[in-house]
């Protein structure tokens, strides 16, 4: 289907100046992509000026949280062109998340039109320093105005974009969360939905008071194994092998996680996808058997972990970032920014639209 380009888009883009200090996800591009779905039928996609949404106060999303999202980036490559990283993986994951919340999935072609169109029109807004990007945020919401508890009959799909700096978390101190659970197996833990994030915020508030940065979530059933962070997957180097928790139903499968596993295999690391018992891990850190730990996600790529602690212990990882984290981060960023051969066929060029 063709995409409607609102004539005001050119005006918005011409009048826009990229802020000098970008931050991450703070500055918004002046345009957005939208499509609506009524009773299962999708409208034409359109690129329109960025503006507040008009939403009925009784819209289902506001009460029953029919809402899912994606996070991805458009990169400026070393040659100056613009490219997306594995966008079909985001399309597939959003379809999965939508299905879990009884929402119609955004067809892959519409999703890809959305992210490509906004990246193409915002090509001049894609910053080019190492680690910078145009962060893209596709999201889908149920908009039917009706307080009955049932799936909405109408939906809106948007893609907004934010020219962003590299996302630096610094070395992270993780608090082992033994009280709350982020998500339940059979619940929405493996779907990318806003409610999972809302449920994680209380834990983060508590741990900040104790001098920590992020929660390390355990498996919800008996809190004995590591699941992940609130928005990043977990890796540890133990006896020289790269370990990550196996997908369990309460872990969101990161595209960065998936990509790092493929890269690590190519780089010759021994991989273990399996259970990481928290008490074993803590003693392996204390004894030096576990030499590094890091988290990964689209925003930061890889964030080194310097401390993992709880009420009883606080164990320091002396190599943060360690050599494995550094090597994997460089290898992935080199592909994304076009300095290294894209052997996996991950990058998809976008033709810029100029004014
Ligand atoms: C988005 C997300 C991740 C990371 O996924 P990427 O595709 O690598 O960005 C990890 N965990 C949770 C809970 C997430 O929501």
């Amino acid at each position: 289907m063709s995409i409607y380009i609102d004539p005001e888009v050119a005006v918005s883009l011409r009048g826009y100046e990229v802020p000098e200090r970008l931050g991450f996800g703070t500055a918004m591009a002046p345009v957005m992509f939208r499509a609506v779905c009524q009773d299962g039928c999708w409208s034409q996609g359109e690129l329109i000026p960025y503006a507040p949404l008009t939403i009925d106060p009784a819209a289902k999303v506001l009460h029953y949280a029919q809402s899912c999202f994606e996070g991805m980036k458009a990169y400026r490559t070393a040659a100056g062109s613009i490219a997306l990283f594995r966008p079909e993986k985001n399309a597939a994951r959003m379809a999965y998340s939508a299905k879990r919340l009884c929402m119609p999935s955004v067809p892959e072609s519409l999703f890809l039109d959305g992210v490509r169109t906004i990246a193409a029109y915002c090509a001049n807004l894609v910053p080019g320093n190492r680690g910078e990007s145009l962060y893209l945020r596709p999201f889908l919401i149920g908009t039917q105005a009706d307080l009955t508890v049932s799936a909405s009959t109408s939906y809106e799909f948007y893609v907004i974009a934010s020219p962003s700096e590299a996302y630096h978390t610094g070395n992270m101190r993780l608090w082992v969360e033994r009280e709350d659970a982020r998500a339940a197996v059979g619940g929405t833990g493996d779907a990318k939905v806003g409610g999972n994030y809302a449920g994680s915020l209380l834990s983060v508030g508590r741990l900040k008071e104790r001098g920590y940065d992020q929660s390390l979530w355990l498996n919800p059933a008996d809190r004995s194994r590591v699941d992940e962070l609130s928005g990043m997957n977990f890796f540890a180097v133990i006896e020289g092998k790269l370990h990550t928790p196996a997908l369990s139903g309460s872990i969101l499968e990161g595209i960065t996680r998936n990509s790092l596993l493929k890269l690590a295999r190519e780089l010759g690391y021994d991989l273990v996808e399996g259970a990481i018992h928290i008490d074993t891990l803590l003693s392996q850190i204390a004894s030096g058997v576990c030499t590094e730990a890091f988290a990964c996600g689209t925003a930061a790529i890889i964030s080194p972990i310097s401390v993992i602690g709880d009420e009883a212990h606080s164990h320091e990882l002396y190599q943060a970032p360690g050599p494995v984290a550094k090597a994997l981060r460089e290898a992935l960023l080199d592909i994304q920014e076009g300095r290294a051969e894209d052997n996996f066929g991950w990058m998809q060029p976008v033709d810029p639209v100029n004014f």
Side-chain angles (χ1 to χ4, degrees):
M1 224 194 297
S2 68
I3 298 154
Y4 171 76
I5 309 294
D6 189 310
E8 290 297 316
V9 158
V11 181
S12 303
L13 284 166
R14 279 197 210 108
Y16 182 78
E17 272 183 47
V18 181
E20 230 158 81
R21 302 196 56 188
L22 288 175
F24 191 90
T26 305
M28 292 299 158
V31 295
M32 60 188 186
F33 184 87
R34 176 177 69 187
V36 303
C37 178
Q38 181 66 49
D39 298 314
C41 285
W42 282 97
S43 71
Q44 180 184 29
E46 46 184 22
L47 191 68
I48 56 179
Y50 185 91
L53 308 184
T54 302
I55 196 164
D56 193 287
K60 303 258 192 193
V61 59
L62 300 177
H63 305 272
Y64 309 126
Q66 266 195 308
S67 160
C68 61
F69 69 97
E70 275 303 317
M72 52 200 293
K73 288 172 170 175
Y75 300 85
R76 185 173 296 286
T77 69
S81 60
I82 307 296
L84 295 169
F85 178 74
R86 310 186 77 186
E88 69 291 341
K89 293 286 277 183
N90 296 93
R93 188 168 66 188
M94 188 144 178
Y96 178 82
S97 301
K99 189 163 167 234
R100 181 65 186 81
L101 299 186
C102 202
M103 305 165 87
S105 47
V106 178
E108 185 187 59
S109 59
L110 180 62
F111 183 96
L112 296 176
D113 277 351
V115 294
R116 281 191 195 127
T117 304
I118 198 160
Y121 278 80
C122 294
N124 288 336
L125 314 189
V126 184
N129 293 319
R130 204 185 181 87
E132 294 183 339
S133 63
L134 183 69
Y135 182 73
L136 303 178
R137 169 55 61 89
F139 63 99
L140 175 67
I141 54 175
T143 52
Q144 186 193 1
D146 176 351
L147 297 178
T148 322
V149 182
S150 61
S152 179
T153 51
S154 55
Y155 294 88
E156 294 182 14
F157 169 61
Y158 291 91
V159 187
I160 56 174
S162 172
S164 292
E165 282 168 14
Y167 185 84
H168 286 300
T169 55
N171 283 348
M172 293 189 298
R173 298 167 59 87
L174 298 192
W175 175 261
V176 181
E177 180 53 76
R178 296 182 190 267
E179 280 175 69
D180 294 355
R182 187 191 78 90
V185 177
T188 56
D190 61 354
K192 203 164 181 77
V193 305
N196 291 344
Y197 281 74
S200 74
L201 298 177
L202 184 61
S203 164
V204 177
R206 273 196 307 253
L207 67 85
K208 292 242 152 127
E209 282 169 19
R210 295 163 171 148
Y212 286 79
D213 304 307
Q214 287 287 323
S215 320
L216 181 59
W217 297 100
L218 305 178
N219 69 310
D222 64 3
R223 318 274 162 92
S224 65
R225 289 173 282 137
V226 173
D227 263 3
E228 61 167 322
L229 281 67
S230 301
M232 287 190 264
N233 293 115
F234 181 84
F235 280 86
V237 179
I238 303 166
E239 290 174 322
K241 290 186 181 151
L242 186 59
H243 289 249
T244 194
L247 300 174
S248 62
S250 55
I251 295 177
L252 191 283
E253 184 181 8
I255 295 162
T256 315
R257 173 190 185 277
N258 178 284
S259 307
L260 289 178
L261 286 173
K262 291 192 157 62
L263 264 180
R265 196 167 290 122
E266 193 191 52
L267 294 174
Y269 292 107
D270 282 331
L271 303 181
V272 185
E273 256 186 280
I276 299 181
H277 292 275
I278 185 62
D279 294 331
T280 312
L281 178 70
L282 288 170
S283 63
Q284 285 170 327
I285 296 172
S287 68
V289 173
C290 171
T291 48
E292 51 177 299
F294 57 87
C296 72
T298 296
I301 309 177
I302 285 179
S303 294
I305 294 163
S306 55
V307 171
I308 301 183
D310 61 12
E311 221 77 67
H313 318 269
S314 176
H315 294 302
E316 196 157 340
L317 287 137
Y318 293 97
Q319 300 189 89
V324 179
K326 276 196 224 162
L328 287 175
R329 184 176 197 283
E330 287 309 297
L332 184 54
L333 196 58
D334 282 349
I335 293 174
Q336 292 172 330
E337 297 185 341
R339 286 180 296 270
E341 199 66 44
D342 176 20
N343 292 328
F344 296 100
W346 284 339
M347 302 311 293
Q348 287 193 14
V350 171
D351 289 330
V353 175
N354 291 309
F355 297 91

